[in-house]
Amino acid sequence: MTSAHPPPAPGRELSNPPTDGISNLRFSNHSDHLLVSSWDKTVRLYDASADSLRGEFMHGGPVLDCCFHDDSSGFSASADNTVRRIVFSHGKEDILGRHDAPVRCIEYSYAAGQVITGSWDKTLKCWDPRGTSGQERTLVGTYPQPERVYSLSLVGNRLVVATAGRQVNVYDLRNMSQPEQQRESSLKYQTRCVRCYPNGTGYALSSVEGRVAMEFFDLSEASQAKKYAFKCHRKSEAGRDIVYPVNAIAFHPVYGTFATGGCDGFVNVWDGNNKKRLYQYSKYPTSIAALSFSRDGRLLAVASSYTFEEGEKPHEPDAIFVRSVNEIEVKPKPKVYPNPPA
């Protein structure tokens, strides 16, 4: 690294952060609004560009995930087993429905017009938020899973569900009666995060053991030959490998490159097609709990928030950093071919 490019500051720290662990954060598809869920039982809406807290909703238990519906409303998944709709513009919320155990993940499908939730009760549920409140009017279906749901990701009509026991189910939202594919993670350890490629051809999956697997939906031999896994978020100390969980994966909406965040406090940016690391940001105060690129890829929100991988211990305060993304950090570098012999 030459002195011409000093490592940039970690980004602008947002005021009024959550007061306990940050479970997720997501940028809106329409603006620089940022939705944040936390173990402090809140969902907060920020304007990331203006550094202003636009709204705050208190739940009955820790909030484990959140997502936008449109720019003025969203949904949340709570450890009190509820799925809630929150309307920022009116400061109101209602309960869309319930699971039988904490709700770990939530996604809104623009393609299906449905909310999809995954729970530790080993089910996936689909909800129609256009129905009036009350579970009997909004629940579209309940789909048993092999184990507790840990992570969900959507691309178009495809839904990827990662569960405990290293299982992965792939669904077509237009026919939820059974999974299109039932897979086992190619990584040996517990899954932390799954995120679909923006181009819809596959997904990246990370584990607690400092690895990411790059997978493809197409089951043909040629496509399956392209899959691979790589090590990341590790360091060597006194000849020993110290390995950290990879908690977060976020794809860049323009270039299809992706960032990973680990319990080592680092955010790395990768070019999956060329199997290269493009960038490593300077270290954050504590574990990276969540990552999200803004809709145009110009901002990256980073949750620096201890994830209790080493149990209860003194740790840095939970913080959200919003950094401006430089093209050099996320744009794939063209392959350099040797000159052909004269």
Side-chain angles (χ1 to χ4, degrees):
M1 210 60 148
T2 62
S3 55
H5 292 291
R12 195 178 66 247
E13 190 173 345
L14 290 187
S15 322
N16 302 302
T19 56
D20 201 346
I22 297 165
S23 55
N24 204 7
L25 46 70
R26 303 208 202 204
F27 271 110
S28 163
N29 285 339
H30 307 283
S31 70
D32 289 341
H33 285 172
L34 185 70
L35 199 58
V36 179
S37 54
S38 167
W39 285 80
D40 70 0
K41 305 183 183 177
T42 67
V43 175
R44 293 166 196 242
L45 176 72
Y46 297 90
D47 181 331
S49 302
D51 183 17
S52 68
L53 180 62
R54 302 288 296 268
E56 185 177 346
F57 294 82
M58 184 60 84
H59 288 23
V63 190
L64 304 183
D65 199 5
C66 60
C67 67
F68 277 96
H69 178 206
D70 52 35
D71 219 32
S72 61
S73 65
F75 303 102
S76 65
S78 176
D80 69 2
N81 305 359
T82 61
V83 179
R84 291 169 195 252
R85 173 191 3 224
I86 42 189
V87 183
F88 318 129
S89 43
H90 299 102
K92 65 174 204 193
E93 57 173 285
D94 57 356
I95 292 178
L96 213 54
R98 287 181 168 82
H99 277 267
D100 296 330
V103 192
R104 176 64 186 88
C105 321
I106 192 160
E107 293 286 340
Y108 177 71
S109 165
Y110 292 91
Q114 291 179 5
V115 178
I116 297 133
T117 53
S119 165
W120 292 339
D121 69 5
K122 305 184 185 177
T123 70
L124 195 66
K125 288 181 189 274
C126 293
W127 313 86
D128 183 348
R130 293 164 296 203
T132 28
S133 271
Q135 177 151 332
E136 59 293 338
R137 293 188 287 279
T138 55
L139 183 63
V140 176
T142 301
Y143 311 99
Q145 297 303 300
E147 248 292 0
R148 287 154 298 167
V149 178
Y150 282 168
S151 188
L152 291 180
S153 187
L154 278 174
V155 61
N157 280 303
R158 226 173 214 144
L159 168 69
V160 181
V161 185
T163 72
R166 301 173 37 258
Q167 301 298 306
V168 178
N169 278 347
V170 181
Y171 286 91
D172 182 331
L173 286 175
R174 294 162 297 190
N175 175 19
M176 291 291 294
S177 55
Q178 61 187 53
E180 199 175 39
Q181 297 176 19
Q182 292 175 283
R183 300 185 174 196
E184 191 172 86
S185 164
S186 52
L187 305 180
K188 292 193 187 102
Y189 293 87
Q190 185 191 81
T191 303
R192 263 292 151 93
C193 182
V194 65
R195 292 290 177 263
C196 293
Y197 307 156
N199 67 9
T201 58
Y203 58 89
L205 180 144
S206 69
S207 81
V208 296
E209 189 256 341
R211 270 177 218 263
V212 173
M214 307 300 287
E215 303 280 350
F216 294 88
F217 294 128
D218 182 352
L219 294 172
S220 71
E221 229 172 283
S223 282
Q224 289 305 306
K226 292 192 292 192
K227 74 177 194 177
Y228 66 96
F230 63 94
K231 296 177 183 177
C232 49
H233 300 281
R234 298 160 173 249
K235 69 176 179 187
S236 275
E237 227 169 56
R240 282 177 61 238
D241 226 9
I242 301 174
V243 180
Y244 297 91
V246 184
N247 297 322
I249 303 170
F251 279 89
H252 192 275
V254 178
Y255 294 119
T257 51
F258 62 98
T260 58
C263 287
D264 55 354
F266 282 105
V267 175
N268 293 310
V269 183
W270 310 89
D271 175 352
N273 293 335
N274 294 315
K275 303 186 182 179
K276 280 192 166 53
R277 183 166 76 182
L278 295 174
Y279 211 80
Q280 182 176 65
Y281 293 117
S282 46
K283 193 175 178 184
Y284 282 86
T286 184
S287 311
I288 307 302
L291 295 169
S292 181
F293 282 105
S294 61
R295 69 201 189 288
D296 55 11
R298 289 193 183 145
L299 298 175
L300 174 63
V302 179
S304 168
S305 180
Y306 178 53
T307 54
F308 288 81
E309 63 277 4
E310 292 173 8
E312 191 69 67
K313 67 171 195 182
H315 56 269
E316 294 290 328
D318 303 290
I320 300 162
F321 294 93
V322 176
R323 62 180 315 132
S324 295
V325 176
N326 190 326
E327 203 171 68
I328 195 169
E329 300 158 5
V330 291
K331 189 175 181 179
K333 293 178 174 57
K335 278 188 171 161
V336 180
Y337 294 100
N339 290 331

